[in-house]
């Protein structure tokens, strides 16, 4: 008997041209390279120029992922784009990507789950592929958080960056050992005032700025992420020692370390890009995945765990056999 699963056949990413160091930020707000590195592990972030938007970065990442998968845009019948910073309130940025890629007809929509957005998008695309509602999907995380940062607030503006990551996810009829093996998602809206944007179309009529109670977010992140990773591994029937790589949401190096420790995973198995990209919200997991595939750390046959947590709170983990 064959099992229909969604397999990852290509990855891609895109970063804005401008790279900003901690020292550059220290010239703008009362902070220092030392404080940022010690508390977060962040050294650089990329910040979008006026001509770089969530959809242009997403399109560039999608093109690279398509090339890696050996596919052309016309092969795609589903685009799911995770973002909290769309180009416009509507239409969905996914349709802007669709138009830029020249795809005449496909299903295209955005998913909003902030930093967990890529995990949510992956679960949606995986479910649609397994239900035969799609065959070849682009799953993209893309953000321009620089546009919603309060550049006067040193406690938040140093933490985030812009970028995009994409994967091609394709239906595969086989023995079921490859592909997305299990995903587990959660949300707990009781905490939606710990990490939020203070504006929106239906309230202020403005875009708003990001606000966060960093210390409380930190506490929840480690507990939730360790729990959901265990849950997803159990659902996949995999023990933690089978995992080749964890590809976490890149919020803070200390969260990555603490979560790995809680699960008994060696730090060498954790992909870290937060030093180079900072927190790129929904883009961070596919950006880190693409970086680790391109530099040869993650290879075909590896078992990987993707995980993320973000505003809402929302959080999730996915176990993928490459
Ligand atoms: N530079 C220098 N000092 C700063 C600063 C900065 N960029 N940001 C804050 N501070 C100061 C604060 O004003 C405070 O000073 P005070 O003691 O005089 O009031 C001091 O540093 C400690 O602030 P606090 O917020 O308690 O620091 P912290 O140890 O909790 O570290 C974070 C702050 C944001 C790095 C940490 O809470 C964190 O990483 N949280 C998780 C955030 C996250 O990843 N969110 C996204 C999840 S998707």
């Amino acid at each position: 008997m064959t099992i229909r699963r969604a397999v990852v056949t290509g990855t891609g990413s895109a970063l804005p041209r401008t790279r900003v160091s901690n020292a550059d930020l220290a010239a703008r707000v009362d902070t220092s390279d030392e404080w940022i590195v010690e508390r977060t592990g962040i050294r650089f972030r990329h910040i979008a120029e006026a001509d770089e938007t969530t959809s242009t970065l997403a399109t560039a990442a999608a093109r690279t992922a398509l090339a890696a998968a050996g596919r052309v845009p016309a092969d795609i019948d589903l685009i799911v784009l995770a973002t909290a910073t769309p180009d416009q309130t509507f239409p969905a940025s996914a349709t802007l990507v669709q138009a830029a890629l020249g795809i005449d007809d496909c299903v295209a929509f955005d998913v909003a789950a902030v930093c967990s957005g890529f995990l949510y998008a992956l679960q949606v695309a995986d479910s649609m592929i397994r239900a035969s509602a799609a065959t070849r999907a682009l799953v993209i995380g893309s953000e321009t958080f620089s546009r919603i940062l309060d550049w006067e607030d040193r406690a938040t503006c140093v933490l985030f960056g812009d970028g995009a990551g994409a994967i091609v996810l394709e239906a595969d009829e086989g023995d079921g050992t490859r592909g997305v093996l299990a995903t587990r998602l959660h949300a707990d809206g009781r905490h939606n005032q710990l990490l939020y944007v203070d504006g929106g179309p239906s309230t202020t009529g403005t875009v708003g700025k990001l606000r966060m109670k960093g210390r409380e977010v930190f506490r929840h992140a480690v507990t939730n992420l360790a729990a959901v990773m265990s849950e997803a591994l159990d659902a996949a029937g995999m023990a933690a020692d089978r995992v080749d790589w964890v590809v976490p949401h890149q919020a803070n190096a200390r969260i990555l370390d603490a979560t790995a420790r809680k699960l008994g995973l060696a730090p060498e198995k954790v992909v870290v890009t937060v030093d180079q990209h900072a927190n790129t919200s929904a883009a961070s997991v596919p950006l880190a995945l693409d970086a680790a595939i391109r530099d040869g750390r993650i290879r075909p046959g590896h078992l990987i765990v993707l995980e993320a947590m973000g505003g809402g709170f929302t959080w999730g983990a996915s176990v993928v056999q490459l």
Side-chain angles (χ1 to χ4, degrees):
M1 198 186 74
T2 60
I3 298 177
R4 186 177 170 96
R5 282 212 195 274
V7 301
V8 178
T9 56
T11 65
S13 59
L15 290 163
R17 295 186 294 277
T18 306
R19 192 166 84 143
V20 175
S21 70
N22 292 343
D24 296 333
L25 286 183
R28 257 173 107 160
V29 288
D30 182 14
T31 189
S32 66
D33 178 53
E34 195 189 1
W35 191 96
I36 300 171
V37 172
E38 190 191 308
R39 304 284 176 125
T40 71
I42 296 166
R43 292 178 188 276
F44 299 97
R45 74 284 294 141
H46 289 250
I47 301 292
E49 301 286 343
D51 64 330
E52 295 170 312
T53 68
T54 290
S55 79
T56 68
L57 293 168
T59 302
R63 284 192 204 284
T64 325
L66 284 167
R71 293 290 178 192
V72 295
D75 294 329
I76 295 300
D77 57 9
L78 170 66
I79 301 174
V80 190
L81 171 55
T83 190
T85 48
D87 285 26
Q88 296 151 261
T89 302
F90 79 81
S93 296
T95 64
L96 305 181
V97 173
Q98 179 198 5
L101 291 176
I103 302 173
D104 291 341
D105 184 22
C106 72
V107 177
F109 57 95
D110 292 356
V111 163
V114 205
C115 298
S116 321
F118 187 77
L119 271 298
Y120 271 69
L122 182 64
Q123 169 79 314
V124 169
D126 175 44
S127 302
M128 287 180 69
I129 286 173
R130 281 189 291 112
S132 298
T135 306
R136 280 185 215 106
L138 273 168
V139 187
I140 309 170
S142 185
E143 302 276 19
T144 43
F145 257 48
S146 61
R147 313 274 212 256
I148 56 164
L149 294 176
D150 176 352
W151 287 99
E152 313 270 290
D153 177 15
R154 66 176 181 174
T156 54
C157 75
V158 302
L159 302 175
F160 296 90
D162 302 332
I167 65 169
V168 177
L169 201 61
E170 304 195 24
D172 180 72
E173 311 269 349
D175 61 6
T177 52
R178 275 177 76 218
V180 180
L181 302 184
T183 303
R184 288 293 179 270
L185 301 176
H186 293 277
D188 185 348
R190 288 173 300 176
H191 302 298
N192 62 27
Q193 290 304 308
L194 295 180
L195 177 50
Y196 65 100
V197 167
D198 62 6
S202 179
T203 48
T204 58
T206 62
V207 171
K209 297 290 179 208
L210 182 147
R211 308 289 171 208
M212 178 170 70
K213 297 202 168 66
R215 195 160 277 203
E216 279 141 274
V217 174
F218 192 105
R219 201 164 44 80
H220 284 279
V222 177
T223 314
N224 289 345
L225 288 171
V228 76
M229 280 166 72
S230 294
E231 208 187 317
L233 282 166
D234 284 350
M238 293 287 178
D241 63 6
R242 296 274 304 276
V243 175
D244 293 297
W245 289 100
V246 178
V247 186
H249 171 48
Q250 307 284 321
N252 180 314
R254 289 187 302 151
I255 296 180
L256 305 190
D257 290 346
T259 310
R261 218 176 308 123
K262 221 171 170 154
L263 274 179
L265 282 163
E268 302 79 52
K269 289 186 168 187
V270 180
V271 175
V272 179
T273 53
V274 68
D275 55 329
Q276 298 299 315
H277 302 157
N279 182 346
T280 57
S281 183
S284 95
V285 169
L287 255 172
L289 176 62
D290 186 52
I293 285 178
R294 280 174 198 277
D295 69 19
R297 275 179 289 174
I298 298 184
R299 295 191 300 275
H302 277 172
L303 183 72
I304 62 172
V305 180
L306 315 177
E307 49 97 325
M309 141 116 190
F313 293 136
T314 57
W315 65 103
S318 186
V319 180
V320 182
Q321 181 73 59
L322 293 177

